[in-house]
Amino acid sequence: MLYIIDTANLDDIKRCMEYFPVAGVTTNPTIISKEHTGFPDLIKAIRALIGDEKMLHIQTTGTDAQTIVKEAVLLRDFVGGDFYAKIPISPEGLKATMQLKKMGIKVTETAIFTQQQAMIAAQAGADFVAPYINRLDSIVSDGVHVVSEIVKMFNVHNIKSRVLAASFKNVEQIHKIALAGGHAVTISPELFNTLTYHPLTDRAIESFNADWQSVYGDKGVLDVFER
Ligand code: G3P
């Protein structure tokens, strides 16, 4: 399962790229607006930071297919590298998806809340479908169940589209998506820290360090090899 960062904050992207195995970056208009800066410069800076090899998913804002296609082409040409046009699902979005696929532009169909939205997006050619887990859980629905059924449908029908689950608030949701066969998750920088933290891990490290120091003092592994 791929881990992707759901932010446009350059400091957070830099830190997560340094410390975690990150496959790329996803943004949406809400995330972009939080940075209060020029959009073109920001997405160019994100691409420069992550390099051409990593995925960069950038959302279109047009409401008709023609505009969405124009935006996706412009964004692809502007940021380059491994680019995905993130398109909210709608009839116009699906129309744009089919046209973009013919043009060789990769698409992530986003704002997915149901299994059939995912299925039809996949049939339109979406490379990824992005169901919103916590937003489903928040309305007493079940985000993990929706993802597990999407994964099952894609397997049964031999569909190549992948599931990029989004909208997470805790580690339990991420873990259950991994068990359900989700192909990727996009999560906040804060959740990367939470994923890797456990108080027993800290206690184990403290105990290892105390035992080592009782014999070798302040010397580390490199120091004891020095002659
Ligand atoms: O890209 C969609 C995702 O960022 C939504 O997350 O936390 O706003 O539900 P959230």
Side-chain angles (χ1 to χ4, degrees), residues 12-26:
D12 285 337
I13 294 170
K14 191 163 183 260
R15 185 181 58 80
C16 287
M17 294 275 301
E18 198 175 340
Y19 289 100
F20 304 111
V22 168
V25 170
T26 52

Side-chain angles (χ1 to χ4, degrees), residues 6 28 31 86 132 135 166-167 169:
D6 203 20
N28 62 37
I31 284 171
K86 216 171 155 213
Y132 286 7
R135 294 195 196 187
S167 177
K169 286 294 166 284

Side-chain angles (χ1 to χ4, degrees), residues 200-219:
L200 287 179
T201 303
D202 284 357
R203 207 190 295 172
I205 292 169
E206 279 166 22
S207 155
F208 290 142
N209 287 342
D211 291 342
W212 173 274
Q213 279 168 8
S214 69
V215 175
Y216 301 104
D218 288 338
K219 288 184 173 174

